[in-house]
Structures are given as C-alpha cells and as structure tokens.
Amino acid sequence: MNKRQLFGLTFGLLHIPFMAAAAGNSAEALLQKIGGNGAPVIIASYTTTAPKLDGKLDDPVWEKAAVRNDFVQLCKEIVSAEATTTVRALYDDQNLYLAFSCTEKEADIKRAYRKDGDPLWLDSCIDMFFAPAESKTIDDLPKDESHYQLIFNSNQAKFSQLGNRGYGSWLGEWEIAAAVTPAGWTAEVKIPFTSLDKRLSTPQNMSYWRMQIGRAAFPGKKREYSALFPCAGLFRGHDYFGMLVFIQDPNGFNFGRRSDYNREIQPELARVEQTLKNGGMSSDSHCAVALSTLSMDFNAADGLQYFVKRENIYRQLTALKAEAATVCRQKLAAQLTKSGQRLLAVPHPAISDFGKVLPEFIPDPAASCKPVKIRLCRNEFEPASIVIWAPEQLQGVTVSIAPVEGVTLAPRWVKCWYQGGSPVCPQNVHSGCYLTPELLLNNDDIVGVDMVNKKNIFREPLALKDKWQYPPDDAEKLQPLALLPSAFAKQLWLTAHASANARPGIYQSKITIAVAGNTLAEVPLQVEVMEFDLQPSKLISGCYYNTSWGKKPKVKAESEMRNLVDHGITAVGLREDAKDLSTVVEMMKRIGLPVEPLYIENSTRPEILQKADLNHKDYLSKARTRITEWTDAAKKAQVKTLYLYLIDEPKGETITKQIPVADLVHQAGAKTWDAFNLGPGYRQLAGNSIDAVVYNGNPTREAAAAAHKDGGTIYSYDNPQLGIEFTEVYRRNFGLLLWQNDFDGSFNFAWFWLFVDHAKKIPSHPWDDFDSSGFRDHCMMYPTVNGCVDTVQGEGWREGVDDCRYLSTLEYWIAHASNAKAAAAAAAWLKQLKDGEVAALTDLDGVRSTMIEHIRACQSR
C-alpha cells in the first residue's frame, strides 16, 4: 500500500459530512444512539440559559441534558452501585454545569465536615476528575495525576487539588449548591472554564475532556464507592477515564476527532506505513492489512461513535506499531545477515518532523550508501544526516570524513533521551515521558539512557551546587560510538560550514564508517559551494533569554553568545543589571551579536510594574528612576536605540494603566516593547504606547497591518515557544511564514530559560526535564561547564533564518538583475509564494532550490 492509498483512507475523513446522531437531536437521543448507559461518554449539551444554583434540580433547562445513572462499584467486576447516582451536564460560553441526584437515606448520609479543605472523602461525597487536553497547568504532572480533582459533600464544603498535590495546589472559583431530602441529596455545580486554566475558552463543538466521577456513600451504614466509568483501585486511574463531550450541534464539525487525527493518529499511521515500506513488507502482509483496516475503522467511527471507539482505536494503533517494528526489524536483519552486509548507512532528511529517528526506526535498505548532497553559500551552516543500522551488535563505531577545502564538516551523534514533550505534537508543557532525538554530541556517553526504566543517567549527579554547576563540556571532536545494539537505528548529524574564503565549486568527499579499523560502509558526500553570497535577512530573528552574562564567567557568557550568533539570532532580550550593561555590550560586539537596537527584558518590571496601582505617584516616581538608570547605562555603553520592556502579557485595564509608564520611557528617549496574547484586540487598549509588539500565536497580515499603522514593529512568539524537539516547525513558523504575513520577525520565548521547582523553591536543572512543575525548561541549547550542546531544534531554527537570507538575496538580485526577463519571472514566482499561504511552504527544501534557480537566472546574461 503506497502513501497515496493510505491518505485516500485517512486524509479524506476530514471531508466526510457528519450524519445526524439520531432521529431527534436531543442529548438523551444522542446518548442512546451510542449505547446509552455503559458508553464511555457523558454528554454536555450547550445551553443559553444557565440553571439557577439552588441544589433543587427543578430548572427546566436540565430537561435537555442526557441522564447517566449507571454508576458501578469500585471493583474488578461490573456490579451496579446500591446507592444510585444520577448525573447530568450542560455548558454555556463560560461555565460547565453538573447536576447530581444521590439516593441515600437521610439517616445514612455522613456529613461530618463543613469547611473547605476538610477530608471530605470520609463523608458521603461526589469526587470529580477533569483532564482538559487544552489545559497546560496539569500537563507536567504524572499520567494518573494530570487532572483537576474537585470533591464536595451535602454540607456544600469543597476540596480541590491538582493531581495528588493536596488542598491549596488549586483553588478555582467553582460553586456548589446542595439540598438534602429524606430520599437522599441533590447538588448543582458550576465550574467556570477559566477557573481551571485561564487559557481555557469555550469548548469547540464535539470536543472533549477526559474525566471520571466517583461517589462515596453509606447505604445501610456500610461504605460504598462507585464510579461512572468502571474502574478498579482508584478513581484517578486515567486508564479508566471516560470522556465529557461538548455538544452544540451533533451535525456540526467533530473537533475532538479532528484534533486526535492531526495530533496523533495521522502522524502515527504515516510512520507505520513508512516502517512497512522500509521493511519491504508486501501489501498483503498482516501488518499492511491491519494498517488499512485501522484506517478504515477510524474513518467509519463517525460523530459520537468515534468517542465510543476511541480507546479501542488507540489500542489497535499501539499494537500495530509494535508489531510492524518487530516484524520489519527481524526481516531486515535476516536479509543483511544472509547477504553478509554488516551495516546500513542511509541518508535521512535532517530538517524534518516526519520520521524522527528513534531506535526502532527502520531505514530503507534501497537507499543504503546513496550520496549525501549539501549545497551552501559562504558563511552559511547547512545540515545533513545519515542513519546507521546493523543486524548485529557493534562496538567502537568510528566515523571519518574526507576533508573539503574551505568547508568545515562537523559530525555529531544525535542523542535520543527521555523528555517530557509529545513526539507528535509541539508543546512546551509536560505530556508524559518520551524517548526523543534532541542532543547533538561528540561524546554520545555524556548522558546514558535506561530504556527499561525510562530515565536518563548522568556520569555525575545533577546537583546545583551553584548557579553555573552544569555537566562537563562535550568532547571537542567526534568520539567512537561505544555500542551500537543490533537492529538499533542511530542518527549521525553533519553540519557543514563554508568559510568566507571558500572557493565556489562542487567537491567530492566520503563518510567512512568503521569498526576496529575495518570499513563497514562508505557514503559518498557531495558539497557544493555556490558562487553568490547571501544577503542578511530583512527579518529580525530574536529571542528572550535569561542571560545574566554580566554575572557569569567570561568564557561561559561568550560561549552562549557565540551559540546565538551561530544560529542566526540577531536580537536578544537581556536580563542584566544596569551597571553590567557596558561590559555585556562590549562582549556582544566582540562575539558579533548585534546591539543595535538593544532590548532589555527586566528594565521596568517586575520590581515596579507589577504593583497593584500603576497610577500612584510613588509608583511613577520609581518607574522614572528605573528608566533613567537604564537610559544612562545605554549611553555609557554607546547604545543608540534602547527598548525597555513593560508588563509581560498584560490584559484588560492593566494595558491602559501602563501607558503612563510608556510615556515616561518615550520622554527619556527610549522605546517600549511588550508581549501580548490577546490577538489583535491589544491595539485598541494599548494605542501607540508600544513601539515593538511581540504577538502570540499564528501570525496574520491583519495583526501586522494594525501594528504598522502608526509605524510600529511586530514580532512573533509562542508559535510554538522555544525548546521543543521539532525542526521543521521552527524552520517554517519563524522563517518564511513571518514574511508571508508581513511580520518584522520573531522574538520568541526563550532560547534558554529555567522554570522553578515549586517544591524545592529553586530553578530546575536544564538537563533534567522532569524536575519542575508547570512549563518544561526551554532549551534550544544545553549548557555545560564552559560551553553549549546544540540541539536539533536549534538547527531547524537556523534553517528558517537561512530561508529568509535566501529570500533577501533573491530580492536583491531581482532589483540588480542582468537578465530582465529572469527578474520578472522571479518576481512573479515570489508573489505567488507570498500569497500562497502556508500550503506554499510545505516543501521548504523545494522552495529554497527554486530561489537558488531564480538567483542564478537573474545573474545570467
């Protein structure tokens, strides 16, 4: 089965119209359509009328809600609960509403606790668990704790927590009203979406949260635990969670299903297909048939039926991935052993988020020892990679590369290690524990990996004895790979850099892979140094950075600056003391990191700008003093253009309240910059107070036009934030996509930033992705004692910068062309690319190749 056939099965699902779920569209009818009681789904129907919270359940609006009353006892067998529980769900634009009716003789109701935070689980109570996929707050928690837990009893006392962290770890503004009757007790609950996470908005039609509802009751004075979705052990076991599905129009767009498809299903199906192709499996093999069947099953699970079948589809996918990898690995090993071939060395795209090279990756033997081709200009870095794979275990694998005049060829091992980010979805919050290709190392043993216990192992403990206590520096040159296990894919990364004096031409070289002096594979390498030079990018490539360079050892600070320069950064947000600015600026100039204009992150906050009353005279006086301190420091450092940061991501009236501070900045001869995550609406509140806007999310021409209207500047950030192990995402989103949408560049957060371990109240360690709560540490590089270890995402970022350099070069030669006809053709193509939206940037290597062709055509006579 080829890729076209697969996509015919899977990609087409996005265009299938969703049929009515039942003859009627009531929530009860929808529930019955998917199995009624026993379905792993509870339906929340949309309402424009909010129920009155009095605990009596007599609002007519509850009649439109589907009823679930099939709670079962907390045990391995499915046994109906003796104390029956009925639950209904509704939602509007701001809140989720739940209604409970709990049978329990009034004399049996245990209600000893009356205060919020009391151990309500000892009483008769309702225990709710919610895990919205869009909530970033819970994503750093372990799997069975990544939820919000809300408990209440008939006394209207509340208990809430994040995961299992205890009362006070989350105190959302949720409400509960309860009423006791001789037959039991009833309750109504109101949960604002933003009380769970300020980033949560009104759920999309047919989106979902993972959830569970448990109950503790005392029928006949004996304790009974029951749950809506059958489980054994603890309510909070996520393997037993069901889904709370939000329904506004059952015939409308299936948001939850499409989200699953884009984030996980389609990428995983494509990877399985590639594995089968590389393993030489026929279309009638068991795995190929299972792949086709799974694709059709996913397409057939239409509407709410998808949520019923979702868990089974995921189980099938997991089993298929494992079977395909095992079968193909065994087949390929047998083929190589029979032919006497000890090693495969296969070229692999370096900048690609499809087909990440994990240990189970199966290379295509038909591509073995095909040439690696690198094309670059003087003063440009360009990556390439190959995958090596052996049917038997090898020790002491060495790599040597024949030199190329004027070009440095730096090979490094790609290290797969355990990180907290999803391998298929770019996000900067924890979503589990995943083996991920990220580090580029000369010494592959700088960190070990325990694949049985899923943890990283370091040569020495990662103790933060002081601020700069990091692992030892990496080796200066590529070290032998101590061990290449059998049927284990290992990626070798190659970064080429042409010097300013490199002569144009096509050079032939080779990559030799050997063991104990015996050559096992030779890969031809072709390096083309082009005859034209690249122009600087017209777009700013900026980043936030917790620099502290004025306090770090000089060798450490300069190595970090050099890392930024080598990856195309042209602006950096500094966090320094004003008294250190001259020293820092001098170092930046010496290393080649631009200082005009200069951006200061901690210029007017948090010491001042996070005060409650921004209009207080003492506040403005302090702000003026602080601003003067920085403008004086900039003059001393001979910086002409200075940007001072205001309140980070302000909202509402805070935006307007900080305008007097912006006026003070302008009066002092400096400019302002600030980040907003409100969309274009920030402009109405901020007016002209912000000179450089850092804009959250997808860039749009409308947002750019609003910023440019009065001569302002607009940069992109959080699309996604930095430090996530995706190469092509950074290349596209912070490269030509910004040009397409008229942005002035990027100023993303953050090249290096540590988040706080709240339990220890210290910054987490950058080499440990699992020691902090909240966001993952943002690392585009990993610091060592005196240096930096590069990452694959950093290489992807640099390719995005280089795409913009090629763009600027093409624009230059269109304006200075020797061939008018070629210039007109290039300009027409460039306009088509500009107006082609994201689809035009699908093949970025192809886009660059076309740019090169047009540049050369414009130069020809």
Side-chain angles (χ1 to χ4, degrees):
M1 181 172 54
N2 59 35
K3 185 173 290 188
R4 184 178 299 275
Q5 290 171 319
L6 173 64
F7 281 3
L9 293 170
T10 59
F11 196 74
L13 72 89
L14 299 181
H15 304 285
I16 298 174
F18 295 102
M19 306 302 292
N25 284 339
S26 71
E28 192 63 44
L30 292 173
L31 181 62
Q32 296 307 313
K33 177 70 176 179
I34 61 173
N37 284 345
V41 172
I42 179 170
I43 294 174
S45 300
Y46 182 79
T47 180
T48 56
T49 304
K52 178 182 178 182
L53 251 66
D54 55 13
K56 297 180 180 179
L57 311 191
D58 54 0
D59 295 83
V61 68
W62 285 119
E63 295 178 3
K64 68 183 293 185
V67 176
R68 288 297 299 263
N69 56 8
D70 52 324
F71 280 60
V72 296
Q73 294 183 30
L74 193 67
C75 58
K76 293 182 179 180
E77 295 77 25
I78 305 298
V79 179
S80 296
E82 182 177 340
T84 59
T85 309
T86 299
V87 59
R88 298 173 173 87
L90 297 169
Y91 78 105
D92 58 23
D93 290 338
Q94 288 82 36
N95 309 293
L96 169 66
Y97 304 96
L98 295 148
F100 294 90
S101 178
C102 306
T103 64
E104 192 171 10
K105 291 181 180 180
E106 187 173 4
D108 290 344
I109 299 174
K110 188 173 181 179
R111 39 183 171 167
Y113 295 101
R114 298 184 175 276
K115 294 189 304 181
D116 290 354
D118 281 346
L120 305 183
W121 52 90
L122 300 177
D123 273 352
S124 299
C125 68
I126 293 292
D127 200 348
M128 303 177 292
F129 302 80
F130 301 105
E134 296 79 11
S135 174
K136 309 305 182 187
T137 305
I138 59 176
D139 282 338
D140 69 313
L141 301 175
K143 175 187 173 184
D144 287 342
E145 296 183 20
S146 56
H147 54 247
Y148 301 89
Q149 182 179 8
L150 290 71
I151 310 175
F152 63 88
N153 67 4
S154 60
N155 290 331
Q156 303 183 158
K158 299 184 296 181
F159 180 98
S160 59
Q161 64 176 344
L162 280 178
N164 198 32
R165 294 187 169 190
Y167 184 71
S169 56
W170 175 78
L171 292 173
E173 296 179 356
W174 59 293
E175 301 175 41
I176 185 266
V180 176
T181 69
W185 58 290
T186 56
E188 292 173 299
V189 180
K190 173 184 175 182
I191 306 171
F193 300 124
T194 54
S195 73
L196 298 179
D197 189 318
K198 291 182 178 179
R199 288 162 286 200
L200 284 182
S201 56
T202 306
Q204 299 273 356
N205 184 45
M206 297 189 87
S207 62
Y208 67 89
W209 294 358
R210 300 295 305 280
M211 62 93 69
Q212 176 66 287
I213 299 177
R215 180 183 169 196
F218 295 84
K221 302 298 184 181
K222 65 181 184 295
R223 183 185 297 275
E224 178 188 68
Y225 292 112
S226 59
L228 174 59
F229 303 112
C231 61
L234 299 173
F235 291 139
R236 61 183 174 89
H238 280 225
D239 288 339
Y240 302 105
F241 275 23
M243 285 165 285
L244 173 67
V245 181
F246 297 90
I247 301 292
Q248 185 167 6
D249 175 11
N251 301 316
F253 192 64
N254 194 333
F255 183 86
R257 180 160 157 256
R258 191 192 86 158
S259 177
D260 282 349
Y261 178 81
N262 288 340
R263 290 163 58 101
E264 297 183 66
I265 298 292
Q266 191 277 333
E268 294 293 7
L269 289 177
R271 287 181 175 87
V272 171
E273 184 193 23
Q274 189 66 46
T275 297
L276 297 179
K277 175 180 177 296
N278 293 348
M281 303 300 291
S282 63
S283 60
D284 59 353
S285 67
H286 180 268
C287 288
V289 172
L291 175 64
S292 177
T293 301
L294 178 58
S295 302
M296 289 187 289
D297 285 349
F298 186 87
N299 279 332
D302 194 24
L304 275 170
Q305 288 291 338
Y306 169 70
F307 297 103
V308 178
K309 299 179 180 180
R310 180 180 184 273
E311 292 299 325
N312 187 51
I313 288 172
Y314 272 81
R315 281 194 293 268
Q316 291 181 58
L317 181 57
T318 300
L320 177 58
K321 286 167 55 182
E323 181 184 2
T326 299
V327 172
C328 293
R329 189 182 299 114
Q330 292 172 345
K331 181 178 180 180
L332 183 56
Q335 289 176 342
L336 294 181
T337 301
K338 184 177 181 179
S339 66
Q341 188 173 358
R342 296 185 63 193
L343 184 81
L344 281 179
V346 179
H348 186 79
I351 308 301
S352 173
D353 295 330
F354 175 79
K356 290 187 175 184
V357 182
L358 293 163
E360 65 266 22
F361 180 83
I362 308 295
D364 183 359
S368 181
C369 294
K370 285 190 174 181
V372 172
K373 297 182 179 181
I374 297 176
R375 183 162 59 169
L376 76 171
C377 292
R378 289 177 287 262
N379 289 319
E380 181 189 1
F381 292 89
E382 187 65 18
S385 84
I386 61 173
V387 178
I388 61 174
W389 194 95
E392 59 178 307
Q393 180 173 293
L394 300 176
Q395 293 180 326
V397 179
T398 61
V399 176
S400 59
I401 303 176
V404 173
E405 181 184 355
V407 178
T408 301
L409 299 168
R412 286 172 292 181
W413 301 113
V414 179
K415 187 71 177 186
C416 292
W417 65 333
Y418 285 101
Q419 293 292 91
S422 167
V424 294
C425 180
Q427 53 187 357
N428 52 15
V429 292
H430 286 274
S431 57
C433 180
Y434 303 100
L435 194 63
T436 303
E438 182 180 20
L439 305 177
L440 301 180
L441 297 169
N442 286 321
N443 177 11
D444 189 69
D445 290 331
I446 195 171
V447 55
V449 177
D450 181 348
M451 297 180 65
V452 175
N453 297 305
K454 294 186 176 181
K455 65 179 183 179
N456 305 320
I457 304 171
F458 297 90
R459 288 181 288 177
E460 54 186 70
L462 294 179
L464 277 171
K465 299 175 183 177
D466 58 62
K467 283 187 176 181
W468 324 122
Q469 186 68 31
Y470 296 129
D473 293 339
D474 192 14
E476 292 186 4
K477 295 183 179 180
L478 190 73
Q479 301 298 298
L481 186 64
L483 182 69
L484 178 64
S486 61
F488 186 103
K490 185 67 176 178
Q491 189 175 10
L492 178 73
W493 196 277
L494 181 63
T495 302
H497 179 245
S499 70
N501 300 319
R503 292 186 297 174
I506 298 177
Y507 301 88
Q508 304 299 330
S509 177
K510 65 180 178 181
I511 304 169
T512 302
I513 303 168
V515 171
N518 298 316
T519 298
L520 300 188
E522 288 186 343
V523 180
L525 173 62
Q526 178 182 294
V527 180
E528 179 182 1
V529 179
M530 288 181 284
E531 68 281 2
F532 58 88
D533 292 325
L534 292 179
Q535 297 290 317
S537 171
K538 294 179 181 178
L539 275 65
I540 292 293
S541 179
C543 65
Y544 293 76
Y545 198 127
N546 196 357
T547 55
S548 298
W549 289 331
K551 298 290 186 292
K552 292 180 181 177
K554 181 180 176 181
V555 64
K556 179 69 183 150
E558 291 189 347
S559 71
E560 294 182 12
M561 293 179 189
R562 193 171 293 108
N563 181 266
L564 293 173
V565 172
D566 287 348
H567 287 86
I569 295 296
T570 55
V572 58
L574 299 178
R575 291 183 66 85
E576 303 287 343
D577 288 342
K579 62 183 178 60
D580 295 328
L581 189 62
S582 292
T583 301
V584 171
V585 167
E586 182 183 348
M587 281 194 291
M588 292 172 66
K589 289 179 179 178
R590 184 165 58 252
I591 298 301
L593 189 59
V595 299
E596 290 288 354
L598 196 68
Y599 297 83
I600 307 297
E601 289 177 25
N602 61 322
S603 52
T604 53
R605 64 104 182 164
E607 297 90 340
I608 296 175
L609 278 186
Q610 291 183 346
K611 298 288 185 181
D613 186 0
L614 281 73
N615 293 322
H616 193 276
K617 62 179 182 179
D618 290 342
Y619 165 78
L620 291 177
S621 176
K622 291 179 180 178
R624 184 180 292 107
T625 300
R626 181 75 178 216
I627 291 165
T628 302
E629 181 183 3
W630 277 105
T631 54
D632 289 347
K635 291 176 183 177
K636 182 179 179 182
Q638 298 182 357
V639 171
K640 297 178 181 178
T641 306
L642 180 69
Y643 280 86
L644 301 181
Y645 205 66
L646 299 183
I647 298 177
D648 187 48
E649 297 184 341
K651 294 178 175 63
E653 65 177 9
T654 304
I655 297 176
T656 56
K657 281 187 175 183
Q658 73 175 1
I659 290 177
V661 182
D663 292 339
L664 293 177
V665 172
H666 292 146
Q667 292 167 17
K671 295 186 177 183
T672 59
W673 66 302
D674 207 357
F676 293 91
N677 60 2
L678 299 174
Y682 77 89
R683 190 69 176 173
Q684 297 175 348
L685 297 170
N688 298 327
S689 63
I690 309 299
D691 299 300
V693 169
V694 187
Y695 184 84
N696 171 275
N698 293 324
T700 65
R701 292 186 182 181
E702 292 75 18
H708 293 153
K709 183 178 180 181
D710 298 307
T713 301
I714 187 167
Y715 300 128
S716 174
Y717 88 108
D718 195 15
N719 190 32
Q721 292 188 2
L722 292 176
I724 307 169
E725 304 85 353
F726 283 75
T727 57
E728 198 169 356
V729 164
Y730 287 120
R731 179 180 181 179
R732 178 179 297 106
N733 291 9
F734 295 96
L736 294 178
L737 183 65
L738 301 181
W739 163 73
Q740 274 192 335
N741 288 281
D742 298 328
F743 269 54
D744 299 295
S746 60
F747 224 110
N748 206 6
F749 184 92
W751 198 263
F752 180 66
W753 198 280
L754 303 183
F755 289 87
V756 173
D757 182 339
H758 293 291
K760 299 177 182 177
K761 297 183 179 180
I762 60 171
S764 62
H765 200 289
W767 285 78
D768 186 351
D769 201 25
F770 303 98
D771 66 349
S772 64
S773 57
F775 291 105
R776 298 172 61 197
D777 291 333
H778 292 13
C779 299
M780 294 296 277
M781 64 83 188
Y782 285 83
T784 59
V785 173
N786 289 317
C788 303
V789 166
D790 288 334
T791 63
V792 295
Q793 58 264 26
E795 300 284 299
W797 175 277
R798 179 166 56 205
E799 284 299 283
V801 174
D802 285 346
D803 286 339
C804 294
R805 294 174 69 196
Y806 277 92
L807 170 66
S808 296
T809 305
L810 176 56
E811 290 175 333
Y812 173 86
W813 283 107
I814 289 174
H816 298 81
S818 303
N819 187 326
K821 184 177 180 180
W829 175 82
L830 205 56
K831 185 179 186 305
Q832 187 178 23
L833 181 69
K834 173 91 170 181
D835 296 334
E837 300 181 349
V838 181
L841 304 180
T842 301
D843 180 9
L844 290 169
D845 287 337
V847 168
R848 186 182 294 187
S849 293
T850 304
M851 286 183 181
I852 292 171
E853 293 173 8
H854 281 298
I855 291 169
R856 286 174 163 169
C858 288
Q859 291 177 325
S860 66
R861 294 184 181 275

